[in-house]
Amino acid sequence: MDLPQEIRDAIVEDLRLGELATLVRTSKSVQAYLEPRLYKKIHTDFNTPNNTAGLVELLQRRPHIAPMIQMLVLDEYHPRHTRRLLSIELPNLWCLLVQHEGHSIEYVSEREKRVLNREMVEQPAISNYFSPFETASHRYLNYPGLKRLFIEQSTYSTDALKQLIAPSKCLTSINLHHLSGPLPFKERDLCPVLSLAAGTLKVLKLFWTYHPLERDYGFDLSQFTALRLLRIEPGLLLGPHKSLETYTSTESPDLGQLIRSRLPPNLKLLLLESLTIPDGVDFGPEQVILSRDLEFMRCLLEQRDSVAPKLTFLMMYYLNNMVPPKDLYKIASRVGLRFCGLYESDDLDVDWDWLDKDEGLRISV
């Protein structure tokens, strides 16, 4: 490829992956130029030769490829071959995503897992980690450069989460997503673990469908001074309540004071989860928002200047399934706060450059 660099780069940008793989085999000079681009991002496919086991075999045959890999997307979770893969040093791997849904591909005994765990090595360049892995080993979970953590439907314990969070001095985003069954740890034990990143965390999304019937605790996030976006169930934030009881009972503390003592002081976006009457209570096709949560939102809007002075957006999930709280829209308009709903499938994407600024935020769904 005796062409200027910019022309070669333009040609390569237009080639599909299969075409790149074919071109690599034409000459050694082309191979040296293209291989780093070919192996920069690797996507394994379940039930094909291009699976995790195949990738391990490739790296064993051609170890010079390992430093070229920067992103791994594993479309499966094989407990044996995933451990074998992470026993290979990948010095430039910064993003690891495991997106297989469901159970692991093959049963591996706990004894074999422990043996394989001892062979795993640190991958110190990882900054983005998305995984439903079960706990492997403390050494395996040590990512000091971690910036974004997404854990979905995992069996991590709070000790394992500590090992993920504690080493990082630059963790800015945590997304904990659990849709099936109880959490693998006590809900109340999570907040002290999250607080390990209280000084750097800007985005925190907590979403699970299984909620305890009774809570005698709430999450105190007032020390999370860097936090700008929070997705949470109001009951998890504010603490004890009965399913249909408002916060205005004589036994409840002043609601505004309670909100102020629990919310992050610099919060700009609050996304509220699980606002509707639980499944099994029939109120017709549209779900009714819990009285306690209506009181929470009303107080937050009316006392915004004192309880959450930097709050810009207040949003509710599952708008398509609920009776809209029309009176709250009027209050929000009066105080200059954007109040709106989100659908179940919406995932809010924030312009990170705006998170630390005082102006209104640029967001997209």
Side-chain angles (χ1 to χ4, degrees), residues 63-306:
H64 72 281
I65 291 175
M68 302 176 188
I69 300 174
Q70 298 184 32
M71 298 180 65
L72 275 178
V73 182
L74 308 182
D75 194 21
E76 60 178 352
Y77 175 47
H78 195 299
R80 176 182 297 113
H81 297 306
T82 301
R83 284 171 167 81
R84 290 178 61 210
L85 176 61
L86 294 177
S87 298
I88 300 171
E89 186 175 355
L90 305 169
N92 296 309
L93 178 66
W94 65 270
C95 183
L96 174 62
L97 294 90
V98 180
Q99 57 187 29
H100 172 67
E101 295 182 1
H103 300 293
S104 59
I105 304 303
E106 180 181 328
Y107 173 76
V108 177
S109 70
E110 292 302 317
R111 181 179 180 278
E112 183 179 356
K113 287 179 183 178
R114 288 194 295 271
V115 172
L116 292 169
N117 287 348
R118 290 195 290 269
E119 297 175 0
M120 296 173 74
V121 298
E122 290 186 18
Q123 308 292 347
I126 286 183
S127 60
N128 283 27
Y129 182 70
F130 178 126
S131 177
F133 288 177
E134 82 268 36
T135 304
S137 71
H138 286 178
R139 181 173 63 175
Y140 155 68
L141 295 173
N142 184 22
Y143 303 131
L146 189 64
K147 294 180 181 177
R148 299 187 183 185
L149 174 63
F150 192 136
I151 296 182
E152 182 176 21
Q153 203 61 34
S154 78
T155 57
Y156 281 114
S157 65
T158 48
D159 285 341
L161 288 174
K162 284 180 184 178
Q163 293 300 321
L164 272 169
I165 295 172
S168 175
K169 305 302 180 186
C170 52
L171 187 58
T172 57
S173 177
I174 294 178
N175 191 333
L176 184 57
H177 204 89
H178 199 85
L179 293 178
S180 178
L183 290 167
F185 47 79
K186 292 182 179 179
E187 190 182 70
R188 68 185 310 151
D189 294 338
L190 180 60
C191 193
V193 177
L194 298 175
S195 67
L196 296 171
T200 60
L201 199 61
K202 294 183 180 181
V203 174
L204 176 60
K205 298 180 181 180
L206 305 176
F207 173 50
W208 44 86
T209 54
Y210 183 90
H211 304 288
L213 294 177
E214 297 290 340
R215 285 190 179 107
D216 59 356
Y217 54 88
F219 278 17
D220 181 358
L221 303 179
S222 61
Q223 302 304 311
F224 286 65
T225 55
L227 198 61
R228 302 295 190 267
L229 185 155
L230 175 63
R231 178 178 179 177
I232 196 169
E233 176 203 352
L236 181 60
L237 181 67
L238 297 182
H241 63 271
K242 296 178 181 178
S243 61
L244 295 178
E245 182 181 41
T246 70
Y247 291 120
T248 55
S249 69
T250 57
E251 297 178 0
S252 298
D254 175 74
L255 183 54
Q257 180 181 348
L258 181 60
I259 295 173
R260 185 166 51 251
S261 69
R262 295 291 174 83
L263 279 181
N266 298 308
L267 189 67
K268 291 186 174 180
L269 294 97
L270 179 58
L271 318 179
L272 297 177
E273 274 287 349
S274 305
L275 297 177
T276 61
I277 298 294
D279 292 340
V281 180
D282 186 10
F283 279 88
E286 289 186 308
Q287 295 288 286
V288 178
I289 298 176
L290 291 169
S291 298
R292 61 174 176 85
D293 295 336
L294 282 172
E295 291 298 328
F296 165 67
M297 289 188 288
R298 184 174 290 107
C299 179
L300 185 59
L301 290 170
E302 291 178 341
Q303 301 185 36
R304 191 272 301 264
D305 289 345
S306 61

